[in-house]
């Protein structure tokens, strides 16, 4: 897990689970599943998860194995395991243009769009509903991340 290996014990201690993708004895990708609150570093928000929901995060394909379907297999496997365990709703975040097709094929639909920037020493975050999102799903997503339209605060440095 390269630079993130030192974060693994803390993640496991708080109940997050790691899923790995292997080619023989070599780890080629990994991703995490949490059923408790989790920090979303890209947008500097914490997602709060009610019972029966989970958050898939930090799905990584190691550099020399990219463009081989590792990400797709990993997300699909995590979703399948979560459904076997009876989790009713799954959340996943992605940066614009990264894994969008795979994420939608795994059954996810866009709910919120985040525009995040650091300016003048502050973190600016604009949150908008995705086009055509179901209003009930939008309400659940806004409750999970506890944010409305615009948030401005000092950047938060946090390892997760």
């Amino acid at each position: 897990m390269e630079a993130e290996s030192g974060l693994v014990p803390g993640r496991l201690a708080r109940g997050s689970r790691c899923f790995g993708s292997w080619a023989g004895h070599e780890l080629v990708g990994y991703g995490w599943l949490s059923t408790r609150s989790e920090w979303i570093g890209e947008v500097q928000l914490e997602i709060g998860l009610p019972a029966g929901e989970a958050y898939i995060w930090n799905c990584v394909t190691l550099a020399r194995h990219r463009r081989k379907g590792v990400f797709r297999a990993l997300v699909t496997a995590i979703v399948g395991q979560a459904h076997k365990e009876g989790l009713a709703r799954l959340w996943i975040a992605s940066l614009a243009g990264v894994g969008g097709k795979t994420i939608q094929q795994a059954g996810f639909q866009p709910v919120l769009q985040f525009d995040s920037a650091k300016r003048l020493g502050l973190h600016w975050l604009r949150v908008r509903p995705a086009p055509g999102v179901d209003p009930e799903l939008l309400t659940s997503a806004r409750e999970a991340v506890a944010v409305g339209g615009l948030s401005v605060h000092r950047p938060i440095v946090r390892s997760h």
Side-chain angles (χ1 to χ4, degrees):
M1 295 182 134
E2 300 168 344
E4 294 188 350
S5 62
L7 301 173
V8 172
R11 292 174 178 181
L12 294 173
R14 69 175 183 264
S16 297
R17 290 185 289 159
C18 187
F19 292 77
S21 182
W22 301 84
H25 295 291
E26 182 181 8
L27 180 68
V28 297
Y30 58 88
W32 291 86
L33 179 71
S34 294
T35 55
R36 297 184 184 149
S37 294
E38 196 61 63
W39 181 249
I40 307 172
E42 296 83 359
V43 293
Q44 298 208 340
L45 289 176
E46 187 154 321
I47 184 168
L49 300 165
E53 295 187 11
Y55 175 55
I56 298 173
W57 57 285
N58 197 213
C59 293
V60 174
T61 301
L62 300 180
R64 64 179 206 247
H65 298 284
R66 292 191 179 135
R67 314 234 16 107
K68 298 177 184 175
V70 173
F71 178 74
R72 177 182 315 281
L74 186 60
V75 170
T76 301
I78 295 171
V79 167
Q81 182 61 36
H83 287 308
K84 283 181 193 172
E85 295 174 10
L87 292 167
R89 179 178 285 155
L90 301 175
W91 300 99
I92 192 167
S94 82
L95 300 172
V98 179
K101 183 177 177 184
T102 294
I103 290 169
Q104 286 185 350
Q105 289 173 343
F108 292 93
Q109 56 185 295
V111 179
L112 293 174
Q113 295 177 336
F114 297 93
D115 296 312
S116 178
K118 291 178 185 159
R119 293 188 189 111
L120 305 171
L122 297 172
H123 180 257
W124 296 72
L125 180 67
R126 184 175 73 154
V127 182
R128 300 175 282 137
V133 66
D134 174 84
E136 188 176 314
L137 188 56
L138 177 61
T139 298
S140 294
R142 286 196 165 156
E143 288 172 1
V145 294
V147 70
L150 180 66
S151 169
V152 180
H153 58 84
R154 295 210 178 278
I156 301 168
V157 178
R158 210 172 140 178
S159 294
H160 66 105

